[in-house]
Amino acid sequence: MTRGRAATDLPRPQSWREGEATSSARGSRGNSGSSQCAIMEVGPLEGGYLELLNSDADPLCLYHFYDQMDLAGEEEIELYSEPDTDTINCDQFSRLLCDIEGDEETREAYANIAELDQYVFQDSQLEGLSKDIFKHIGPDEVIGESMEMPAEVGQKSQKRPFPEELPADLKHWKPVPSSSSSLSCLNLPEGPIQFVPTISTLPHGLWQISGAGTEVSSIFIYHGEVPQASQVPPPSGLTVHGLPTSPDRPGSTSPFAPSATDLPSMPEPALTSRANMTEPVEQFYRSLQDTYGAEPAGRDGILVEVDLVRARLERSSSKSLERELATPDWAERQLAQGGLAEVLLADKEHRRPRETRVIAVLGKAGQGKSYWAGAVSRAWACGRLPQYDFVFSVPCHCLNRPGDAYGLQDLLFSLGPQPLVAADEVFSHILKRPDRVLLILDAFEELEAQDGFLHSTCGPAPAEPCSLRGLLAGLFQKKLLRGCTLLLTARPRGRLVQSLSKADALFELSGFSMEQAQAYVMRYFESSGMTEHQDRALTLLRDRPLLLSHSHSPTLCRAVCQLSEALLELGEDAKLPSTLTGLYVGLLGRAALNSPPGALAELAKLAWELGRRHQSTLQEDQFPSADVRTWAMAKGLVQHPPGAAESELAFPSFLLQCFLGALWLALSGEIKDKELPQYLALTPRKKRPYDNWLEGVPRFLAGLIFQPRARCLGALVGPSATALADRKQKVLARYLKRLQPGTLRARQLLELLHCAHEAEEAGIWQHVVQELPARLSFLGTRLTPPDAHVLGKALEAAGRDFSLDLRSTGICPSGLGSLVGLSCVTRFRAALSDTVVLWESLRQHGETKLLQAAEEKFTIEPFKAKSLKDVEDLGKLVQTQRTRSSSEDTAGELPAVRDLKKLEFALGPISGPQTFPKLVQILTAFSSLQHLDLSQNNITDLGAYKLAEALPSLAASLLRLSLYNNCICDVGAESLARVLPDMVSLRVMDVQYNKFTAAGAQQLAASLRRCPHVETLAMWTPTIPFSVQEHLQQQDSRISLR
């Protein structure tokens, strides 16, 4: 049986205000108990469905009005209890919807009605009712109770109450016996049950359940007052005018339930797929796939995936508001398996509807962020990101444009690398399904010219033209294209990056490992058709450890390959330079041979001026002449960035811009001699004209000034142009030799070592290494592979012993092993987890001597546990010692465990009680422990009891025990008093601010009399009467009340 009706057959309604008055005059259907809905005149829905809900009209009347219209001339539908019976022809139903969608006013009216349908029948009252009813129906019991609803439910049918208006007990009501009427309930066997809510001809609140295998055809459950017998439908042969669940709109029996196309503000992932695309949208989808699906050609297509690590931003210091990347321990890094594409694919499981997701990928210049952004676009084009219909990738340098006539269409279609041609229908599709759009903004730091858009008061409307700053404000404040996914790539510094701490997901590109760098070299020469030079190129790289460590940056690794290729073409006696400055001199030296006069110096000046403005792009008219521009473009020193205007150029890499900026400082007569040292950025100044945005300039400047002229500065600009460099060399040498390395912060000290190494000047290098302090702490300062290499060379050159603190540096295992293996390093501290990983690696590779040295030099003195991870790592260290002691080839305790003298447990009153038992289990391993501080951890009597069991193992060494403010009562005090005489080495015990009473205090005082070795017992606590405390102190003067 089928039925259908075109929307044009519906009567033209009155205004909504008239209908509201009419419905008010007819009274409440819930009070009358009638089984038929009152007919209501419904007009245009002015103001939306929220106004309708706040009116006095019954929303159910509106629903039944459209479901019970006169269908004269149509066949009736017979409802069967079988759940698979079709009662309507879906083709007719689809035609009905098409007719409805043809009239805009009718479509809007039905959309609002459909929202009412969903809103009414997902009510918390009905949910609670159905749950409670079925909770009382079981297969083995019969209930003969009637269900009675509170009176308020039936009386409030004209205006649907909000949850806060409901009685407190309404959501948790239970069936109660009733003497007026009853319904007999039957046992229901196991199996499927069909639940048919809100059939139009059933009385209001009456539901039908049909169960396969039962002896009855239908069971009816009534919500509200039980109807009279004449109103209850017969159990079988029921004929109703109802509609089945729509195949395109699951969960509703109304044909007007909203789909994703009906309600663009309510996207449903299950319904928004490419199957709903029209032909123009499908054509644009295909063209976008072709745009992003092309693989990079030649050397740009070399793929060596680097690790993607979950990251977070934290304050650089307690007094600073600036945030920087946190430095996790190497062993504790959380790697994102599968790259960004897999991250985005997994992210769809956690996102909520209508929620804009912001995912940021951070990394230093040259780490491959732009390559990752391109890889995501290609992954989508290959079908690996099915949750997105469209992906748009926009380099942020394209968004630094003046004007206020931009719209969202311009951002998506016109400002990207390749302008896209899209019909208005495509844009409408995007606005209806923003949750299926991925927008990639590459090089987010380039938007500093638009600074302030993150704090704008409001964002623009989609169709309203505005400035690019306004568009960005709408995106990041989640008012424009709300529900989309934003993927950002940025450097981990700058004003805009500070706001990324609130991103939904934050990742960091860690760069190449040693093995990945060597794999890149092999693939580079393979793509160049020079496979015969692969082994030779690797040999050249391994002969230069500094360049090998710098190859963790993909950009520098490629630069090494380019120079190696050029050198290998010249002959077999080729050698790579030993410094970073020499690398770029070798790359630019050949380009400068046939350059126009002064062209390189002019290009260097442009690079410096752009860097001072935090820019990397320039216009063609900024060049001093067309010859200089033509030469620079021909030699690859500048190029057209993807998506930029024809007149816009950029340097191919950030480090090349840094090198050119340093070259300008070395050659320019405009820089005064007394101003030159500040550009090394080695001493902090409150007001500096140079903010070190071109962070590679200090090292390049030192190399260009101090390295021999013939193979450095003179090879680039000729000997005649280097006259000013001699005077600048004297200025910088005097400045560097006056610096005291011991007074510099860790990051500045590392930069000083790099500058001294690049200078290759013996006097400066010796001064720096001889002034290094014996105890070097890099706590909280990230150590990259080049940092570890230069630090190791400096320590070796100093010729004396050093102690290193390498905690929270993120140093890789190979770098840690190289530093620990130095004979001049006698002690070192590092993250416990990283150290254990290093030991395991050395044991597996059979490096016995290095393993022994690493175990002997490692120390954890003093140790402060501030988290559960710290206690767990300490437990792993103790377990390593126990395993080592049981081994036949090794004997004795680990020095780190054996020599620990001070241990502080500082997890606080929340985490302390749960973690303290783990600490107690390993306390017996620290045979030399002298100071144990357990203050303010809320260990209570239970913790005091467990501590008392472990203390005898420390009796010979423990000097000071602090249990300050730990909620210890009389039972805990008794446990401590019992073990106190056994602590023969204990001198000071602090139990102040606990909760034991006079009884506990007297037990401790009595135990103290048997401990002549104890010097002080700090015992003041507010729960002990002061008179008792004074009396105890008079009896034993060692009791302190301060």
Side-chain angles (χ1 to χ4, degrees), residues 226-243:
V226 180
Q228 301 298 324
S230 60
Q231 299 175 355
V232 179
S236 62
L238 182 66
T239 57
V240 298
H241 299 284
L243 288 174

Side-chain angles (χ1 to χ4, degrees), residues 471-488:
L471 283 176
L472 294 171
L475 281 174
F476 284 92
Q477 296 177 20
K478 304 181 180 181
K479 299 178 182 178
L480 182 62
L481 207 61
R482 183 177 179 183
C484 70
T485 301
L486 288 177
L487 176 60
L488 313 176

Side-chain angles (χ1 to χ4, degrees), residues 118 123 697 745:
Q118 296 290 319
D123 189 83
V697 163
R745 292 178 294 180

Side-chain angles (χ1 to χ4, degrees), residues 304 512-522 538 541 548 550-553 557 561:
V304 178
F512 285 160
S513 65
M514 202 76 68
E515 295 75 14
Q516 289 171 333
Q518 297 180 22
Y520 182 90
V521 173
M522 298 291 287
L538 281 178
L541 182 57
L548 182 59
H550 273 296
S551 294
H552 88 289
S553 168
C557 189
C561 291

Side-chain angles (χ1 to χ4, degrees), residues 817 837-848 850-852 854:
V837 169
L838 175 64
W839 290 345
E840 291 296 329
S841 176
L842 296 176
R843 186 176 293 108
Q844 292 175 3
H845 289 84
E847 301 183 39
T848 307
L850 185 55
L851 172 61
Q852 183 178 359

